[in-house]
Structure formats: structure tokens, C-alpha cells
Amino acid sequence: CLYPFQKFQSDAERKLAIILEREALKCFKPAKGQFQLFYKLGTKQNEYQPDFVAETKEKIYMLEPKAKNELTSDEVLAKKAAAVRWCELATAYCKENGGKPWEYLLIPHDVIADNMSLQALRNHGA
């Protein structure tokens, strides 16, 4: 991780951090406003900050562990749509400028285990 200490809001976040520490070249929990990522829900436009960003040899991932029962909520789906679009635009820019592609992963909390790989989590993404 790029920072010496992290605060986690759930055990799923903590487990995901363990996986990222093992497999990512760099990872961090974004600060508010760091990505200027917004989603629309009803008439409001809200800011979204994903739980983690991690860089591997091949890609940069924006990762969000989420409770399984929340995966289909309007808010989670709106955040996902905004993040997927952001990653598409970032990938297009990086492709033109020699960077890595970006990918958003929405991961059900109950599939995250300390001994999993990032690829296995990718396969379980929502």
C-alpha cells in the first residue's frame, strides 16, 4: 500500500487489502475528491469514491467490495455505471499515452477470502 496505515469499514475491505498487498504493485484507498467521480441518483448528483485502487503489471483496478444484498440497489448500480464509464475514458486516454487499461470490479463481500487471488475475485465480480 502507498500509505503505512489504513482504516477499514468492514472485514471484507480488510481481506481485500491483504490480497492487494500480496498481488498489486501499488494500492491505496482514494481520498474524497481524488477521482472527481460522480453518479446520478434521482435528481441528485453525488460524489463516489471507490474503496481501493490497485495497479498490477497489466492493469489498474478500481475495486469496491459490497454486501451481497446491496449489489442490485439503485445506488450501487448508479455508482458502478459511473465508475465503469470513468474507467473506459481513463483506458482510452492511457492507450493513447502509453499507460495501462483501467477496470472496475464490484465484488460481493461474501466471496472475499484472504487466500484468494485478484483473478479469482475478478471472476466473482458483479
Side-chain angles (χ1 to χ4, degrees):
C1 182
L2 296 176
Y3 303 108
F5 299 101
Q6 290 295 329
K7 182 178 178 183
F8 304 112
Q9 294 179 341
S10 68
D11 196 45
E13 279 189 19
R14 183 192 62 77
K15 289 176 184 177
L16 181 54
I18 290 169
I19 295 166
L20 297 177
E21 280 284 330
R22 187 175 56 237
E23 296 192 20
L25 300 173
K26 300 173 204 162
C27 61
F28 66 98
K29 289 179 66 72
K32 186 173 177 150
Q34 189 159 2
F35 283 96
Q36 304 269 323
L37 179 56
F38 296 91
Y39 68 99
K40 188 172 182 179
L41 188 60
T43 59
K44 295 183 179 180
Q45 187 156 337
N46 303 296
E47 184 175 1
Y48 169 48
Q49 58 191 80
D51 285 335
F52 294 94
V53 172
E55 181 179 1
T56 65
K57 286 182 183 179
E58 302 83 24
K59 254 181 205 184
I60 301 173
Y61 293 96
M62 196 176 272
L63 303 110
E64 179 75 29
K66 191 56 73 181
K68 189 175 183 178
N69 65 341
E70 296 177 10
L71 292 175
T72 57
S73 76
D74 290 343
E75 183 175 13
V76 170
L77 293 175
K79 288 176 179 180
K80 178 182 177 180
V84 166
R85 181 67 180 140
W86 192 98
C87 287
E88 289 169 352
L89 295 171
T91 295
Y93 176 84
C94 289
K95 187 176 182 181
E96 292 177 7
N97 294 282
K100 297 177 183 179
W102 283 72
E103 184 175 344
Y104 180 74
L105 296 179
L106 178 60
I107 307 163
H109 81 288
D110 61 339
V111 303
I112 302 171
D114 295 348
N115 64 346
M116 290 186 81
S117 68
L118 188 53
Q119 184 60 44
L121 290 175
R122 208 172 157 251
N123 294 340
H124 283 286

